[in-house]
Structures are given as C-alpha cells and as structure tokens.
Amino acid sequence: MTPLSKLPNFDPRNVPVIGVDRHLPAVPPSQLLPDALRQRFLMPPDWQPEVRAEPRFTDRVPRQAAVLIPIVLHALAQGGPTVLLTERTSHMSTHAGQIAFPGGKVDASDADVSAAALREAWEEVGLASHYVQVIGRLPEYVTGTAFIVTPVVALVQPGFTLVHQPDEVADAFEVPLAFLMDPAHHRRHAFAWEGVQREWFSMPYQDAQGERFIWGATAGMLRNFYRFLSA
C-alpha cells in the first residue's frame, strides 16, 4: 500500500471533510487543570481509544517508539494550558513537514518509553527534563510506517527555552489544550486509493504564523486523549 505522502501532489488539506464532531461535548475547563489531569491518570475511567492503528504500507519489522504530549502550564490569565507541538522538516524520510509531538524510536539505552520520550524532546527541541513531570501514558498507536507509538503525557512548567534540532524540526509552537479537547474542532476526512478507504482526523489551528494543519497520527492520538479525558 502506498503511503499518502508518496502520492503525486497529495495534500491532506484538499481532501474533503466528511464531518465535524460539533455534537460531542468539549472537556470542561476544570478538567484541563494540573490537579485534574494528574487525578485522571491516577484513577483512570473505563474507556476505549477511538483510533488504534493506521493502514500499514511497509513490511518492515515494527519498532517501538514514544512521543511526549507536553502540556505547558500557562496561567489561566495567559490563556491556560497549551500543548507543545513541532513541525517536522520537509526532508525527513517519514512524515516530512507534518505536525508532530516530540518523539522517536525507543533506544536500547532508554530505561522505558517515558525515558525515550523525554530524551527525544531534549534532542529535538531542547526541552530540559527538569521542567517536565510525566503523569501517565495513553494506549499504543500504530502508524502506517510500522511504529508502535506510546504517547507519554507530561506537565511542563513554563520558563524553558527551546533550541530546535535543525535536521529534524522546522518549528515549534503551542496550541491551547482547550481548543484540542473540543470536538467542534475535530474534522473527519476520507480518501479512497488503491481500493482502500483511508480515514483520519484533522484539527487545523490558526496562529500568527498561519494555519497549523494537525492531522494523521498526531490528530489520532489527540482524539484518543479527548476520549480519555471525556470518558
């Protein structure tokens, strides 16, 4: 199966939207505060992730990977918590130019997936671990490129200075957590190719730099995070 990124002139922004989930409730603001987020992971609800795996288009052996979902704890007067995201450089071998969480492959030297996510965040954007408190994990998400990704959720104290790894990261930016946890901003797309119907979410966000088109695996993991917090 051909990856969408390899299709001629493919642009996910141009794929029709088949639905927007405005009928689903947003996560209440009180549930997006630090103590509420910690408590949710300490006493998780009975829930199921909505998105588990993408159509696979490689025969290589699956690899374990980890991403950090960094929730930056800005004060409510400053707009409240945000999620730190990156834009991958255009020459990457996989997911080039896409919006992503800091993360990558789990190395043999990593103690666990949390350690891998923290190491990758440091290597990619210079996010030092002493600003970061890991509070839990979400279920594994399997990408079409055969990565078995564990999303590691963490609270991040403001005050850090980011330094991008220029070979991997073109930009880093923040999106309000409340925006991402409101399904009114969750758009559904469908695209048929090679006899296979592929579907995904997008969560476009507009900031001073333009549209940040969050889609694919990153949007899928954020959708699972929404299901976890709203269960």
Side-chain angles (χ1 to χ4, degrees), residues 80-120:
T82 62
V83 175
L84 176 65
L85 294 164
T86 69
E87 179 185 334
R88 292 167 64 85
T89 56
S90 59
H91 61 264
M92 297 292 287
S93 59
T94 59
H95 309 292
Q98 293 186 18
I99 304 302
F101 299 113
K105 291 178 289 188
V106 176
D107 290 344
S109 58
D110 294 319
D112 55 18
V113 291
S114 295
L118 292 171
R119 173 184 54 77
E120 287 283 347

Side-chain angles (χ1 to χ4, degrees), residues 153-217:
V153 181
L155 305 181
V156 181
Q157 294 297 328
F160 53 83
T161 300
L162 299 182
V163 180
H164 303 169
Q165 213 293 348
D167 290 335
E168 298 184 29
V169 178
D171 196 9
F173 60 97
E174 298 177 33
V175 178
L177 181 60
F179 176 93
L180 297 170
M181 295 299 103
D182 183 350
H185 304 130
H186 297 186
R187 309 192 312 182
R188 296 175 179 270
H189 300 258
F191 182 78
W193 183 262
E194 297 177 333
V196 177
Q197 176 87 349
R198 309 192 201 185
E199 299 183 5
W200 63 85
F201 287 98
S202 73
M203 303 168 187
Y205 177 71
Q206 193 78 25
D207 64 12
Q209 304 304 313
E211 184 184 69
R212 309 289 194 170
F213 194 78
I214 305 164
W215 75 290

Side-chain angles (χ1 to χ4, degrees), residues 8-185:
N9 302 316
F10 176 79
D11 186 341
R13 295 172 179 82
N14 296 332
V15 176
V17 175
I18 61 172
V20 181
D21 288 345
R22 296 186 182 91
H23 62 287
L24 295 175
V27 177
S30 61
Q31 298 301 309
L32 303 179
L33 299 178
D35 287 344
L37 292 170
R38 292 189 188 96
Q39 189 64 24
R40 174 58 51 134
F41 280 99
L42 287 172
M43 301 182 64
D46 183 16
W47 76 292
Q48 292 293 325
E50 185 170 348
V51 190
R52 288 183 176 272
E54 300 173 351
R56 189 170 173 178
F57 44 80
T58 179
D59 293 327
R60 74 180 182 187
V61 176
R63 289 288 307 272
Q64 293 288 332
V67 297
L68 192 70
I69 301 182
I71 301 173
V72 186
L73 300 178
H74 295 294
L76 292 177
Q78 298 172 316
T82 62
V83 175
L84 176 65
L85 294 164
T86 69
E87 179 185 334
R88 292 167 64 85
T89 56
S90 59
H91 61 264
M92 297 292 287
S93 59
T94 59
H95 309 292
Q98 293 186 18
I99 304 302
F101 299 113
K105 291 178 289 188
V106 176
D107 290 344
S109 58
D110 294 319
D112 55 18
V113 291
S114 295
L118 292 171
R119 173 184 54 77
E120 287 283 347
W122 167 251
E123 292 175 358
E124 288 186 6
V125 294
L127 180 61
S129 60
H130 61 265
Y131 287 100
V132 183
Q133 178 195 19
V134 173
I135 60 172
R137 303 172 186 174
L138 295 177
E140 292 176 341
Y141 181 102
V142 184
T143 70
T145 48
F147 284 107
I148 304 171
V149 183
T150 300
V152 177
V153 181
L155 305 181
V156 181
Q157 294 297 328
F160 53 83
T161 300
L162 299 182
V163 180
H164 303 169
Q165 213 293 348
D167 290 335
E168 298 184 29
V169 178
D171 196 9
F173 60 97
E174 298 177 33
V175 178
L177 181 60
F179 176 93
L180 297 170
M181 295 299 103
D182 183 350
H185 304 130

